Coordinates of all heavy atoms in Angstrom, one line a residue:
L15 N 193.4 150.9 66.2 CA 194.2 152.0 66.7 C 195.6 151.5 67.2 O 195.7 150.7 68.1 CB 193.5 152.7 67.9 CG 192.2 153.5 67.5 CD1 191.5 154.0 68.8 CD2 192.5 154.6 66.5
G16 N 196.6 152.0 66.5 CA 198.0 151.6 66.9 C 198.5 152.7 67.8 O 197.8 153.7 68.2
P17 N 199.8 152.6 68.2 CA 200.4 153.6 69.1 C 200.4 155.0 68.6 O 200.1 155.9 69.3 CB 201.8 153.0 69.3 CG 201.7 151.6 69.0 CD 200.7 151.4 67.9
R18 N 200.7 155.2 67.3 CA 200.7 156.5 66.7 C 199.3 157.1 66.7 O 199.1 158.3 66.9 CB 201.3 156.5 65.3 CG 202.7 156.1 65.3 CD 203.4 156.4 64.0 NE 202.5 156.6 62.8 CZ 203.0 156.8 61.6 NH1 204.3 156.9 61.4 NH2 202.2 156.9 60.6
S19 N 198.3 156.3 66.3 CA 196.9 156.7 66.3 C 196.4 157.1 67.7 O 195.8 158.2 67.9 CB 196.0 155.7 65.7 OG 196.4 155.3 64.4
L20 N 196.8 156.3 68.7 CA 196.4 156.6 70.1 C 197.1 157.9 70.5 O 196.4 158.7 71.2 CB 196.7 155.5 71.0 CG 195.9 154.2 70.8 CD1 196.5 153.1 71.7 CD2 194.4 154.5 71.2
A21 N 198.3 158.1 70.2 CA 199.0 159.3 70.6 C 198.4 160.6 69.9 O 198.2 161.6 70.6 CB 200.5 159.2 70.2
A22 N 198.1 160.5 68.6 CA 197.5 161.6 68.0 C 196.1 161.9 68.5 O 195.7 163.1 68.7 CB 197.4 161.3 66.5
L23 N 195.3 160.8 68.8 CA 194.0 161.0 69.4 C 194.1 161.7 70.8 O 193.3 162.5 71.1 CB 193.3 159.7 69.5 CG 191.8 159.7 69.9 CD1 191.0 160.6 69.0 CD2 191.3 158.3 69.8
A70 N 194.5 161.5 59.3 CA 195.6 161.0 58.5 C 196.3 159.8 59.2 O 196.7 158.8 58.6 CB 196.6 162.1 58.2
T71 N 196.5 160.0 60.6 CA 197.1 158.9 61.3 C 196.3 157.7 61.4 O 196.8 156.6 61.2 CB 197.4 159.4 62.7 OG1 198.2 160.6 62.7 CG2 198.2 158.4 63.5
E74 N 196.3 155.6 58.2 CA 197.5 154.7 58.0 C 197.4 153.4 58.7 O 198.3 152.6 58.5 CB 198.8 155.5 58.5 CG 199.0 156.8 57.7 CD 200.2 157.5 58.3 OE1 200.8 157.1 59.3 OE2 200.6 158.6 57.7

Side-chain angles (χ1 to χ4, degrees):
L15 290 177
R18 295 197 337 183
S19 301
L20 290 174
L23 186 56
T71 304
E74 296 177 357

